[in-house]
Short mmCIF file of all heavy atoms in Angstrom, two decimals:
data_model
loop_
_atom_site.label_atom_id
_atom_site.label_comp_id
_atom_site.label_asym_id
_atom_site.label_seq_id
_atom_site.Cartn_x
_atom_site.Cartn_y
_atom_site.Cartn_z
N GLY E 168 88.07 9.09 71.43
CA GLY E 168 87.51 9.82 70.26
C GLY E 168 88.32 10.96 69.86
O GLY E 168 88.44 11.31 68.66
N GLY E 169 88.99 11.62 70.83
CA GLY E 169 89.70 12.87 70.56
C GLY E 169 91.13 12.62 70.05
O GLY E 169 91.81 13.54 69.72
N TYR E 170 91.59 11.35 69.94
CA TYR E 170 92.93 11.15 69.44
C TYR E 170 93.09 9.75 68.78
O TYR E 170 93.39 9.62 67.60
CB TYR E 170 93.94 11.34 70.55
CG TYR E 170 95.40 11.11 70.14
CD1 TYR E 170 95.97 11.88 69.12
CD2 TYR E 170 96.16 10.15 70.72
CE1 TYR E 170 97.27 11.65 68.69
CE2 TYR E 170 97.50 9.93 70.32
CZ TYR E 170 98.00 10.66 69.36
OH TYR E 170 99.31 10.47 68.95
N LEU E 171 92.84 8.73 69.63
CA LEU E 171 93.23 7.40 69.18
C LEU E 171 92.42 6.88 68.01
O LEU E 171 92.90 6.29 67.06
CB LEU E 171 93.13 6.37 70.36
CG LEU E 171 94.11 6.72 71.49
CD1 LEU E 171 93.86 5.73 72.68
CD2 LEU E 171 95.56 6.53 70.99
N PHE E 172 91.07 7.17 68.00
CA PHE E 172 90.24 6.78 66.89
C PHE E 172 90.73 7.42 65.53
O PHE E 172 90.84 6.79 64.52
CB PHE E 172 88.79 7.16 67.08
CG PHE E 172 88.07 6.45 68.18
CD1 PHE E 172 86.77 6.78 68.57
CD2 PHE E 172 88.71 5.37 68.88
CE1 PHE E 172 86.12 6.06 69.58
CE2 PHE E 172 88.02 4.64 69.87
CZ PHE E 172 86.80 5.03 70.20
N VAL E 173 91.13 8.73 65.64
CA VAL E 173 91.58 9.47 64.47
C VAL E 173 92.97 8.99 64.05
O VAL E 173 93.22 8.84 62.83
CB VAL E 173 91.63 10.98 64.76
CG1 VAL E 173 92.15 11.74 63.60
CG2 VAL E 173 90.24 11.51 65.13
N LEU E 174 93.76 8.68 65.05
CA LEU E 174 95.10 8.14 64.75
C LEU E 174 94.99 6.84 63.98
O LEU E 174 95.71 6.61 62.96
CB LEU E 174 95.91 7.97 66.05
CG LEU E 174 97.40 7.60 65.93
CD1 LEU E 174 98.16 8.76 65.21
CD2 LEU E 174 98.05 7.39 67.27
N GLY E 175 94.00 5.97 64.40
CA GLY E 175 93.76 4.73 63.68
C GLY E 175 93.32 4.92 62.27
O GLY E 175 93.73 4.23 61.32
N MET E 176 92.46 6.00 62.14
CA MET E 176 92.00 6.26 60.75
C MET E 176 93.17 6.70 59.83
O MET E 176 93.22 6.24 58.69
CB MET E 176 90.96 7.40 60.83
CG MET E 176 90.30 7.69 59.49
SD MET E 176 88.97 8.87 59.63
CE MET E 176 89.84 10.35 59.91
N PHE E 177 94.09 7.53 60.36
CA PHE E 177 95.21 7.96 59.61
C PHE E 177 96.08 6.71 59.18
O PHE E 177 96.51 6.59 58.07
CB PHE E 177 96.09 8.95 60.39
CG PHE E 177 95.56 10.37 60.33
CD1 PHE E 177 95.41 11.15 61.52
CD2 PHE E 177 95.35 10.94 59.09
CE1 PHE E 177 94.89 12.40 61.45
CE2 PHE E 177 94.86 12.27 59.08
CZ PHE E 177 94.65 13.02 60.22
N LEU E 178 96.25 5.78 60.14
CA LEU E 178 97.08 4.62 59.85
C LEU E 178 96.45 3.79 58.77
O LEU E 178 97.15 3.25 57.87
CB LEU E 178 97.21 3.76 61.09
CG LEU E 178 98.29 4.23 62.11
CD1 LEU E 178 98.26 3.34 63.36
CD2 LEU E 178 99.66 4.20 61.46
N GLU E 179 95.12 3.65 58.76
CA GLU E 179 94.45 2.93 57.73
C GLU E 179 94.72 3.54 56.36
O GLU E 179 94.74 2.85 55.34
CB GLU E 179 92.92 2.92 57.94
CG GLU E 179 92.46 1.95 59.05
CD GLU E 179 90.99 2.09 59.31
OE1 GLU E 179 90.34 2.98 58.71
OE2 GLU E 179 90.50 1.37 60.17
#
Side-chain angles (χ1 to χ4, degrees):
Chain E
Y170 178 58
L171 296 174
F172 291 175
V173 175
L174 188 62
M176 186 174 71
F177 279 129
L178 278 177
E179 282 175 357

